[in-house]
């Protein structure tokens, strides 16, 4: 073979080599503006939707503002939403082909790691009032100490009235906090121990008050003061806390991060980064080839069990109802699902330069290099992974390429270093094609997760291209 000249060599290199592309290198001025606009809307979404319930409400409001109607209303429309138990929401845009021929599905989760209040949370100790918690999802417990926490959720009174709580977000609100031990006394209790042994779930108690009611003769007068306050303010009794769902989450808004403001820091970006992109994509899709569905589910962080999770029959029932609206038999629902294409929209782990030892750099997601396609998740030899098929990945990368989407292929960390899963395998059980796809984050599962504005924007572009794609 003759040695190619310099120009030919360059051409060969560009044609044959897969090189990672920094999103910023491929954006013109107008697109850079769109990145920033998207980031501002996204931060507002993170602030409004810190729990699954808040996410469902926020998404429903957005959808209604875009002309989506409740499927249960019986109204004739091309755009529907279904709010299931306030914790799962589906947005549907009907397409040129009937639902019976399959859907284009983007599924993300809207629950995030946090501290849930226990059923009997309230107690006093050493003249201070506390609320006991049980952590939800995979957290590093020490990250939740010594920081302002807000309390979000719903409390049902004995008379049936729901009290919606959002304490600690307004700058004038008090916040709650879990105290940490001072370093001066932490040598044996924390420093000499393994992290798992140094920080215990039963010590994640929220400091909730220090005022007494009555005098020294009054039994548990600090706890009583707080109960009295809850009674005066909301008409609550201690028993009402048994049925309450209260979640302690990091207080305060999402922020721009970096001196250049190019990143977004905030709680719950796993997986509301993907959820918001999936919502934006379906709000903007116009006369798609096939029916589009954005499905936002609950309980992913605790294994997708429960009736609002990806393993519930909600999806099947939703498709049955859509079929009926189009005059087809509900019994076709599984056939329709089997012919569907889906994205399991979830975040990836970005390569952290402080911890290169846990990543395999050739297959690690890089912040700023676009939306991440993850063929398989799982752990230890792809165990419990969906492992998408070659045919499907090939189709989806063509879709992205044709739409000018900047994407990268990656997996979660080094082999046998750990691992994780998504909802992909649960939807795959319907026989549909599905692959994991979403933006990469730093500090995932922490109270302050970091995403790159360029990637967040590119994720919405990718999802839009997927919904609009022919084939
Ligand atoms: Mn996730
Ligand atoms: Mn997660």
């Amino acid at each position: 073979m003759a040695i190619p000249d310099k120009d030919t060599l360059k051409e060969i290199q560009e044609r044959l080599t897969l090189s990672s592309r920094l999103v910023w290198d491929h954006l013109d001025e107008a697109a850079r503006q769109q990145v920033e606009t998207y980031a501002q809307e996204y931060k507002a979404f993170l602030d409004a939707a810190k729990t699954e319930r808040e996410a469902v409400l926020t998404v429903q409001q957005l959808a209604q503002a875009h002309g989506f109607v409740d499927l249960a209303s019986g109204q004739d429309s091309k755009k529907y939403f279904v709010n299931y138990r306030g914790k799962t929401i589906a947005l549907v845009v009907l397409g040129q082909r009937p639902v019976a021929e399959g859907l284009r599905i983007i599924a993300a989760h809207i629950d995030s790691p946090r501290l849930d209040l226990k059923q009997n949370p309230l107690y006093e100790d050493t003249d201070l009032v506390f609320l006991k918690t049980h952590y939800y999802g995979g957290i590093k417990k020490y990250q939740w100490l010594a920081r302002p926490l807000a309390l979000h959720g719903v409390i049902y009174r004995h008379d049936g009235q729901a009290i919606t709580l959002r304490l600690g977000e307004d700058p004038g609100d008090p916040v709650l906090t879990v105290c940490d031990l001072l370093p001066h006394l932490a040598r044996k209790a924390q420093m000499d121990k393994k992290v798992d042994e140094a920080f215990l779930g039963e010590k994640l108690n929220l400091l909730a008050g220090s005022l007494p009611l009555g005098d020294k003769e009054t039994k548990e007068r600090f706890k009583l003061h707080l109960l009295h306050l809850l009674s005066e303010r909301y008409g609550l009794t201690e028993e009402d806390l048994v049925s309450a769902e209260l979640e302690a989450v990091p207080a305060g808004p999402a922020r721009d991060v970096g001196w250049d403001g190019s990143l977004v820091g905030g709680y719950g970006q796993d997986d509301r980064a993907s959820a918001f992109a999936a919502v934006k994509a379906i709000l903007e899709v116009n006369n798609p080839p096939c029916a589009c569905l954005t499905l936002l589910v609950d309980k992913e962080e605790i294994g997708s069990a429960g009736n609002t999770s990806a393993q519930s029959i909600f999806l099947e029932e939703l498709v049955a109802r859509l079929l009926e609206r189009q005059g087809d038999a509900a019994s076709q629902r599984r056939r329709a699902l089997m012919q569907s294409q889906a994205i399991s929209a979830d975040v990836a782990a970005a390569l952290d330069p402080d911890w290169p030892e846990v990543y395999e750099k050739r297959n690690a997601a890089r912040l700023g290099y676009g939306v991440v396609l993850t063929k398989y998740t799982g752990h230890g030899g792809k165990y419990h992974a969906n492992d998408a098929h070659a045919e499907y990945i090939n189709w989806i990368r063509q879709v992205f390429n044709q739409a000018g989407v900047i994407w990268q292929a990656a997996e979660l960390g080094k082999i046998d270093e750990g691992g994780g899963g998504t909802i992909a395998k649960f939807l795959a059980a319907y026989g549909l094609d599905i692959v994991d796809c979403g933006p990469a984050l730093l500090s995932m599962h922490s109270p302050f997760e970091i995403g790159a504005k360029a990637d967040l924007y590119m994720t919405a572009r990718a999802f839009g291209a997927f919904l609009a794609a022919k084939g």
Side-chain angles (χ1 to χ4, degrees):
M1 197 173 85
I3 297 169
D5 63 41
K6 222 173 149 191
D7 286 349
T8 316
L9 203 59
K10 191 163 174 261
E11 183 275 322
I12 291 174
Q13 186 152 46
E14 278 172 10
R15 185 159 46 85
L16 298 185
T17 315
L18 171 65
S19 51
S20 45
R21 292 175 294 166
L22 185 71
V23 174
W24 292 115
D25 288 338
H26 299 267
L27 297 181
D28 58 21
E29 196 46 51
R32 282 163 187 257
Q33 272 302 320
Q34 287 170 14
V35 169
E36 192 52 38
T37 307
Y38 184 85
Q40 298 309 323
E41 285 179 46
Y42 170 60
K43 283 189 295 176
F45 177 73
L46 288 180
D47 296 345
K50 284 198 176 180
T51 67
E52 55 284 355
R53 283 178 193 270
E54 291 175 356
V56 165
L57 266 182
T58 308
V59 168
Q60 181 177 323
Q61 284 161 3
L62 271 173
Q64 283 173 313
H66 282 76
F68 285 63
V69 302
D70 191 343
L71 183 63
S73 72
Q75 269 178 276
D76 211 24
S77 175
K78 278 194 165 305
K79 301 182 195 176
Y80 295 106
F81 73 86
V82 179
N83 173 337
Y84 185 55
R85 294 178 184 267
K87 292 189 174 183
T88 292
I89 189 163
L91 305 185
V92 177
V93 173
L94 297 177
Q96 296 159 33
R97 294 203 295 271
V99 170
E101 290 180 25
L103 300 104
R104 224 26 90 65
I105 303 168
I106 307 178
H109 67 93
I110 46 175
D111 60 320
S112 294
R114 63 192 187 236
L115 306 181
D116 285 343
L117 289 205
K118 290 194 185 192
Q119 285 193 282
N120 298 303
L122 193 59
Y123 71 99
E124 69 168 64
D125 195 343
T126 326
D127 298 348
L128 297 170
V129 185
F130 293 94
L131 295 163
K132 290 210 70 71
T133 68
H134 193 140
Y135 66 96
Y136 173 100
I139 65 165
K140 290 160 87 174
K141 298 184 187 87
Y142 64 84
Q143 292 180 336
W144 292 76
L145 309 177
R147 58 159 41 244
L149 296 169
L151 202 58
H152 292 229
V154 64
I155 314 168
Y156 280 93
R157 278 195 328 219
H158 51 278
D159 62 5
Q161 168 120 25
I163 312 288
T164 305
L165 194 72
R166 210 180 145 85
L167 174 76
E169 297 297 352
D170 190 285
D173 280 355
V175 296
L176 307 180
T177 193
V178 179
C179 297
D180 196 4
L181 194 54
L182 65 170
H184 316 64
L185 296 179
R187 177 154 305 165
K188 279 184 251 169
Q190 290 179 328
M191 304 302 200
D192 292 347
K193 289 183 175 169
K194 288 183 181 169
V195 175
D196 255 8
E197 291 158 6
F199 302 97
L200 302 174
E202 288 298 354
K203 289 186 193 280
L204 298 177
N205 301 313
L206 296 162
L207 181 58
S210 66
L211 280 182
L213 185 70
D215 57 24
K216 280 182 174 172
E217 305 306 312
T218 315
K219 197 181 154 224
E220 295 193 308
R221 58 189 176 134
F222 296 89
K223 172 182 166 181
L224 193 62
H225 180 270
L226 190 61
L227 277 174
H228 190 248
L229 182 150
L230 295 179
S231 165
E232 297 268 284
R233 203 169 285 174
Y234 310 109
L236 298 176
T237 67
E238 191 173 11
E239 190 181 303
D240 295 329
L241 295 177
V242 170
S243 54
E245 267 181 10
L246 294 172
E247 308 175 6
V249 298
R255 304 287 298 268
D256 284 351
V257 170
W259 215 318
D260 59 8
S262 59
L263 308 152
V264 172
Y267 165 71
Q269 298 198 65
D270 173 7
D271 184 30
R272 292 180 199 122
S274 316
F276 184 65
V279 168
K280 287 290 278 184
I282 200 161
L283 291 183
E284 284 163 17
V285 75
N286 185 23
N287 193 27
C290 52
C292 295
L293 164 63
T294 282
L295 177 67
L296 306 181
V297 296
D298 180 28
K299 304 254 192 297
E300 190 274 347
E301 296 293 1
I302 56 168
S304 294
N307 61 0
T308 51
S309 78
Q311 289 196 85
S312 104
I313 60 163
F314 170 70
L315 172 59
E316 222 180 301
E317 182 56 26
L318 169 70
V319 174
R321 281 193 265 160
L322 291 172
L323 286 164
E324 284 170 343
R325 276 212 72 75
Q326 295 191 319
D328 287 310
S331 60
Q332 306 245 341
R333 63 193 185 277
R334 287 191 167 173
R335 193 172 302 167
L337 279 166
M338 207 175 250
Q339 296 178 72
S340 296
Q341 290 123 349
I343 282 178
S344 163
D346 210 339
V347 295
L351 178 67
D352 184 336
D354 279 332
W355 302 93
E357 62 270 32
V358 304
Y359 299 87
E360 189 268 281
K361 65 181 183 201
R362 287 173 190 83
N363 285 282
R366 297 272 305 276
L367 221 52
Y369 282 79
V371 68
V372 184
L373 258 182
T374 303
K375 177 173 155 65
Y376 50 86
T377 56
H379 60 90
K382 299 191 177 181
Y383 220 85
H384 287 306
N386 163 59
D387 206 2
H389 302 300
E391 292 79 1
Y392 190 52
I393 302 231
N394 184 46
W395 175 75
I396 213 160
R397 76 184 169 98
Q398 311 296 350
V399 168
F400 287 174
N401 286 342
Q402 277 158 26
V405 170
I406 311 290
W407 58 275
Q408 52 182 325
E411 67 175 87
L412 180 67
K414 269 187 183 164
I415 295 169
D416 295 336
E417 195 68 52
T422 64
I423 60 172
K425 61 183 175 190
F426 304 120
L427 298 195
Y430 287 110
L432 47 74
D433 264 318
I434 189 163
V435 65
D436 282 296
C437 183
L441 298 181
L442 287 171
S443 288
M444 197 200 290
H445 276 216
S446 81
F448 196 67
E449 300 177 307
I450 306 295
K453 288 181 178 177
D455 295 337
L456 298 163
Y457 162 80
M458 205 44 84
T459 303
R461 286 262 308 265
F463 292 175
F466 169 76
L467 294 182
K470 300 206 165 40

